[in-house]
Amino acid sequence: EAEARIQAHLAEIKRSNAELEQFAYIASHDLREPLRQIANFVALLERRFADQLNDEAREYISFAREGAKRLDNLMLDLLEYSRVGRGEQLAPVECEIVVAAALDNLAARIAETGAEIHIAPGLPTVLGAKTHLIHLFQNLIANALKYCSPERIPEVRLSFTIDGKVVTFSVADNGIGIDPVYHDRIFGIFQRLHGREEYEGTGIGLAICRRVVDQHGGRIWVDSVPGQGSTFHFTVSLATG
Ligand code: ADP
């Protein structure tokens, strides 16, 4: 009887989880539309009425524009977070292609920071969901570029090891590092160690990474020496046959 009760509880948790995910998806999807409308009209005000606005008005409008942009980034990240839960079939995916796509999406930021990016040759083919793997690499590399002290040029190293059927990828940076106290917490949603004035962000990136890795049946963790850099590791399965 205890067993039956546990099963019923589990089913209930599953159902409410699915509902919550559906809610997050719809909310972030549908809320973007009116937000876009606000952003468009603010931009129009800024452009069309530039000569009629005084400095104070222009400043207020720019705050509105930045707020809308931040909210849109948050919605996009939430949308991505809720999408990862919606199970996808895993299939062989070439990491060469995935990593190239991630770097392509980050090209502007890489150019801006003058970062040095080193990618180990011969990236393997893994069992995965391609778009989610692109996001996983992209989030980790984006953080490696972002959490760098201003007097350093970011250096990012992507390497991997293979042990049987398990591939461990590592993304290492020479950034500000993370105190060991926070090594688990940072993978939770909305967990940030810095204010927005210091580093812009939503606190969703690593939570997405953890969901993607979970979905792939792997593990994700971080090693870091504060002040010297961090290395994020995650495991996925090698595609065989
Ligand atoms: P965001 O970058 O949007 O704040 P993330 O979920 O990607 O959110 O990261 C959570 C927190 O973990 C960040 O706010 C930052 O404090 C810390 N962090 C993530 N990646 C790194 C890194 N490579 N180096 C130092 N700190 C990091």
Side-chain angles (χ1 to χ4, degrees):
E1 201 208 311
E3 176 64 17
R5 222 173 323 136
I6 290 170
Q7 288 307 327
H9 270 305
L10 280 178
E12 173 63 19
I13 288 170
K14 247 190 170 160
R15 198 187 51 76
S16 52
N17 251 350
E19 256 176 22
L20 201 63
E21 258 154 33
Q22 180 74 358
F23 171 78
Y25 181 82
I26 291 173
S28 39
H29 188 268
D30 291 4
L31 291 176
R32 286 190 77 208
E33 184 45 43
L35 180 60
R36 202 169 298 132
Q37 191 179 0
I38 295 171
N40 285 343
F41 279 100
V42 166
L44 206 60
L45 266 182
E46 237 178 349
R47 261 186 288 124
R48 285 250 183 101
F49 296 86
D51 47 356
Q52 293 172 50
L53 298 171
N54 63 22
D55 285 349
E56 196 180 4
R58 224 171 284 135
E59 192 186 25
Y60 293 166
I61 289 182
S62 78
F63 289 155
R65 171 171 35 79
E66 280 162 26
K69 179 78 202 135
R70 242 188 10 256
L71 189 51
D72 195 50
N73 283 338
L74 188 61
M75 296 291 172
L76 265 180
D77 279 357
L78 271 178
L79 200 57
E80 177 62 21
Y81 181 78
S82 62
R83 260 188 203 136
V84 179
R86 312 182 131 212
E88 241 180 76
Q89 289 295 320
L90 303 185
V93 176
E94 287 178 47
C95 286
E96 292 282 353
I97 293 174
V98 162
V99 170
L103 291 177
D104 211 40
N105 294 340
L106 293 169
R109 245 174 291 170
I110 293 171
E112 239 167 61
T113 55
E116 279 176 38
I117 313 275
H118 304 272
I119 309 290
L123 296 178
T125 299
V126 302
L127 210 53
K130 189 172 171 191
T131 47
H132 294 157
L133 284 177
I134 293 174
H135 273 111
L136 173 58
F137 281 107
Q138 193 176 321
N139 284 346
L140 294 179
I141 297 170
N143 280 348
L145 296 173
K146 178 164 65 168
Y147 295 102
C148 192
S149 59
E151 61 270 14
R152 269 188 224 157
I153 291 179
E155 277 176 42
V156 186
R157 276 162 220 282
L158 170 66
S159 58
F160 66 94
T161 58
I162 297 178
D163 182 7
K165 286 187 74 173
V166 178
V167 187
T168 305
F169 284 100
S170 302
V171 177
D173 65 48
N174 62 339
I176 57 174
I178 304 165
D179 190 304
V181 183
Y182 303 114
H183 283 190
D184 289 326
R185 201 187 297 176
I186 51 170
F187 293 99
I189 194 161
F190 300 133
Q191 299 294 325
R192 306 203 66 221
L193 307 180
H194 305 275
R196 197 161 35 76
E197 323 68 46
E198 223 181 334
Y199 296 98
E200 185 68 57
T202 61
I204 305 179
L206 286 178
I208 293 174
C209 291
R210 193 176 61 184
R211 281 197 112 177
V212 172
V213 174
D214 279 352
Q215 181 199 28
H216 285 73
R219 215 159 68 73
I220 184 166
W221 71 100
V222 65
D223 281 332
S224 174
V225 180
Q228 289 184 32
S230 313
T231 304
F232 283 82
H233 309 274
F234 67 87
T235 61
V236 283
S237 294
L238 205 56
T240 47

